[in-house]
Amino acid sequence: MPDLRHGTDVDVAAVNSLRSAVMRLGRRLKHQRVDESLSPTEMSVLGTLARCGSATPGELARKEHVQPPSMTRIVALLEAKGLVRLEPHPDDRRQKVVSQTEQAEAMLEESRRKRNAWLAALAEGLSDDEWAKLRAAAPVLEKLAHLTPAARG
């Protein structure tokens, strides 16, 4: 596995280019929201609930890399908007379980459709070769999105 942190100038340039492109594309995708009243963090929490299912606020805080008190505030905001519901934890009555509502599911589906359409419109400007390379890179980018940096000695 290459050590890109201490690589050649070409490696450093490639990592820099990848970081920059992913950040710009991510920012542009964030602007394709359906509900402008939701913060990116609130949308992220709803996305996590959609992918992972119901969770306690503590579990959500770990998955979203925020402090538990922050997640408690986020969940309260989402509950007030009718996008999540809190139910008693089946095994620990001191805790609550957060679940998304049907309203949240519908909003997320509409958001996915809008973002997919926007991205598809951009992709129409790619050549067949560029589109094939992008499709081939998608699983690798997905893997990167879930990795944590390896500890090096």
Side-chain angles (χ1 to χ4, degrees):
M1 179 61 57
D3 182 357
L4 297 176
R5 292 173 293 174
H6 304 97
T8 67
D9 288 344
V10 172
D11 290 338
V12 171
V15 169
N16 191 45
S17 178
L18 176 63
R19 177 197 48 78
S20 179
V22 168
M23 286 178 62
R24 279 195 314 276
L25 187 59
R27 275 195 306 270
R28 291 181 69 195
L29 271 169
K30 283 181 185 179
H31 290 295
Q32 302 303 313
R33 293 185 296 175
V34 171
D35 187 338
E36 292 291 328
S37 71
L38 294 178
S39 71
T41 302
E42 290 169 323
M43 285 295 293
S44 181
V45 170
L46 290 176
T48 295
L49 287 170
R51 278 188 313 282
C52 302
S54 301
T56 66
E59 291 166 339
L60 283 173
R62 281 188 296 282
K63 288 177 182 179
E64 291 294 315
H65 306 284
V66 300
Q67 295 299 314
S70 296
M71 185 54 66
T72 299
R73 286 190 296 277
I74 294 164
V75 167
L77 289 169
L78 291 171
E79 184 181 30
K81 294 174 182 179
L83 298 172
V84 299
R85 65 180 158 273
L86 293 171
E87 299 165 338
H89 191 284
D91 301 322
D92 184 349
R93 305 212 27 94
R94 297 169 296 171
Q95 294 195 54
K96 298 284 184 183
V97 175
V98 183
S99 303
Q100 68 177 356
T101 63
E102 289 178 8
Q103 179 183 346
E105 289 176 34
M107 188 201 58
L108 286 172
E109 182 56 36
E110 185 180 347
S111 181
R112 275 187 219 102
R113 272 196 303 274
K114 182 178 180 181
R115 290 173 189 205
N116 286 348
W118 179 83
L119 202 50
L122 283 183
E124 287 175 0
L126 300 176
S127 69
D128 290 343
D129 185 52
E130 289 170 327
W131 177 237
K133 288 175 183 175
L134 187 58
R135 279 194 330 266
V140 178
L141 291 171
E142 182 66 27
K143 182 177 180 178
L144 278 178
H146 296 285
L147 289 177
T148 56
R152 301 224 178 205

